[in-house]
Structure formats: structure tokens, C-alpha cells
Amino acid sequence: MNEDFEEDNRLAYAGLTALAELIENVGSTLDPDEDNRPCFVAWGLLAAMHRQAAAVVMLHRKGLGHEAAPNRRALIEYMAQIRWLAEDGSDAVDTMNLALKVSQKKLRDAADLADISYDPTIPDAVQAAEIPSDPANQFINLNPLLKRLGAPLLAAWIGETQLAHPTLTAAQCFFDDTADDKVVLHGEPSLRHGAANPADRSPYIAFVLMWSAMDSFNHLMKGHPWSAELQRIAAEGGLDESQSRIGSDEEAAE
């Protein structure tokens, strides 16, 4: 492994540990007069994301960083959703509810097709919910959301998708047919043409995405209680906060 990757990952292990300590000590103070849905939905996503990051680290340490592509892809998706909640608040939650209606209908149609019995109470309640139309509804699909958050994030997500699904790209990691007279079959993954391998720095990728998500969640909590610790963790981990935090433009103008 490249020494630069080793140093990045060393910093990531320490950073992820520090972030985990913040999560373990989080408290909950809700204002009954406010719409608190963005905060608790974001917390649910953040807690799930924390476990995805742990899975990435475990796979990397077992020599299965290549196989962590679905987890890295999930980390991007979780982070994007949390950023969205921090930026658009209740509009994001309403769109998530609209997405739930769509997915529940698909699930119900699939269950009916397979003649699987189920309790209709929840799907009936979901379908009965009236959700007003909003420009945020475009983000029911992930591509527009990732484009809004930044082209590099979209590119990374598409790249991980190629490795996370049974694509030709995924298959080509295990054979080399560039020679005229033979095909070499690999038992271990090997990316072609010297392409950068995200598996080499899986822990660091998890750290960057986890930090960004926690910075976004911090903006949903009263008083932004994690601000000082997040700044310290970013500095010690070598992160460029301006590339991953929300509200930086507004804060710089204040």
C-alpha cells in the first residue's frame, strides 16, 4: 500500500474513534413549538451511517476493502441525505415521505404479485398521507441531490456503483484480456490502467464522509454543540473543512 494511503488511514482511525465518542455522548433537546422531524430523521441516518463506517473499517482490516464498495456507496448516500436535511429541513422530510409512498407501493405491488400476505394497516396509512408538491421533490432521486452537493461527490457515487453492482466493470477487476493470445484470470481484484483504487483508503473515505455528516447534524442541534470538537478532529485528521461542511459561506460572511 502507498505510504500516503497508510498515513491517511492512520489519521482516519483516530478521527473515526473521536467522532464515535461524540455520537455516544449526544443528548436530545427538542422544542415542542418547532418541526423537529429533520433532527430526529437525520439522527437515525447518522446512527446507521456510523455502523456503515464501522463495517468499512472492519472489511478493510480483513483485506476486503474492494468488497466494501457497497458500504462506501451507502456512506455517500447517507451523508447526502443528512446534508439535505440540514439545508432544506422540513421540505426534505416531506420529500422523504413522498419517496416512502412510492417505495411502499412498489413493495405492496411486489407482495401482491408474489401472493404474500401482509398487514395493510401501515401501507394504507402511508398511501393516505397527503404531501404537498414542492421543488424539493426533485431530490426524491439521488442524482439531482448529489449534483447540488458537488460534482466530485456524484462522480464518486457513480464510481462506487460500478463496483457495488454486478457490472462489467466489477467483473473486469478479476480478469485481464488485454493480451492477444491469452486471458489472465485473477482471484484477487485488480483495477485496470493504473486506476486509483478507493479500497486502498477506505477508512479515510469513511472518515471524510462521516465528519461531513456529523457537521451537518451539528447544524440541526441547538447551539451547535459539536462545533469545537469537530474543528479539532478535522485539524488533527488533515481535513479541509471548507470542502465538506455546510453553512461555511454564511458563517464566513458573519
Side-chain angles (χ1 to χ4, degrees):
M1 180 184 292
N2 185 293
E3 290 183 1
D4 290 340
F5 294 158
E6 290 182 349
E7 176 61 13
D8 283 348
N9 289 334
R10 183 189 70 79
L11 293 172
Y13 292 137
L16 286 168
T17 298
L19 292 176
E21 291 174 357
L22 281 182
I23 289 178
E24 290 172 0
N25 296 320
V26 69
S28 175
T29 56
L30 301 179
D31 188 333
D33 297 325
E34 295 181 359
D35 184 352
N36 295 298
R37 296 177 303 158
C39 187
F40 61 72
V41 171
W43 168 254
L45 295 175
L46 185 65
M49 186 179 178
H50 172 59
R51 295 177 65 85
Q52 289 286 340
V56 166
V57 169
M58 182 184 69
L59 288 169
H60 182 80
R61 285 176 166 166
K62 294 289 186 180
L64 296 170
H66 179 83
E67 284 65 37
N71 306 91
R72 292 192 300 268
R73 181 178 184 266
L75 286 173
I76 295 172
E77 294 173 354
Y78 278 113
M79 188 276 284
Q81 295 277 333
I82 296 168
R83 285 274 301 270
W84 181 28
L85 286 161
E87 294 174 1
D88 285 4
S90 59
D91 288 341
V93 179
D94 288 340
T95 297
M96 289 180 176
N97 275 319
L98 182 61
L100 179 63
K101 290 187 68 170
V102 174
S103 64
Q104 282 286 320
K105 184 179 186 308
K106 289 180 179 178
L107 180 60
R108 188 170 194 164
D109 290 346
D112 290 342
L113 183 63
D115 198 24
I116 297 174
S117 61
Y118 56 86
D119 182 350
T121 304
I122 293 178
D124 284 348
V126 170
Q127 292 305 315
E130 295 186 6
I131 302 172
S133 178
D134 187 274
N137 292 162
Q138 65 180 303
F139 301 127
I140 197 172
N141 296 313
L142 198 60
N143 275 31
L145 177 59
L146 291 174
K147 285 180 180 177
R148 188 176 93 169
L149 296 180
L153 195 63
L154 176 62
W157 179 76
I158 292 174
E160 296 289 15
T161 299
Q162 300 305 305
L163 298 177
H165 293 309
T167 64
L168 182 57
T169 300
Q172 285 178 332
C173 291
F174 293 91
F175 68 85
D176 183 353
D177 62 347
T178 57
D180 293 333
D181 58 343
K182 65 179 179 178
V183 174
V184 179
L185 305 181
H186 301 300
E188 299 288 334
S190 177
L191 298 191
R192 297 188 175 195
H193 309 302
N197 190 348
D200 288 339
R201 57 197 310 171
S202 278
Y204 190 74
I205 292 171
F207 173 44
V208 172
L209 293 170
M210 195 72 201
W211 188 95
S212 181
M214 289 183 65
D215 178 66
S216 298
F217 184 74
N218 183 47
H219 281 71
L220 287 167
M221 293 191 292
K222 288 184 178 179
H224 306 169
W226 288 349
S227 295
E229 279 298 292
L230 286 173
Q231 290 176 8
R232 178 187 65 80
I233 293 168
E236 293 178 355
L239 295 186
D240 181 355
E241 296 178 55
S242 66
Q243 295 180 359
S244 47
R245 72 180 311 156
I246 102 152
S248 55
D249 292 340
E250 293 82 357
E251 289 169 0
E254 292 177 353

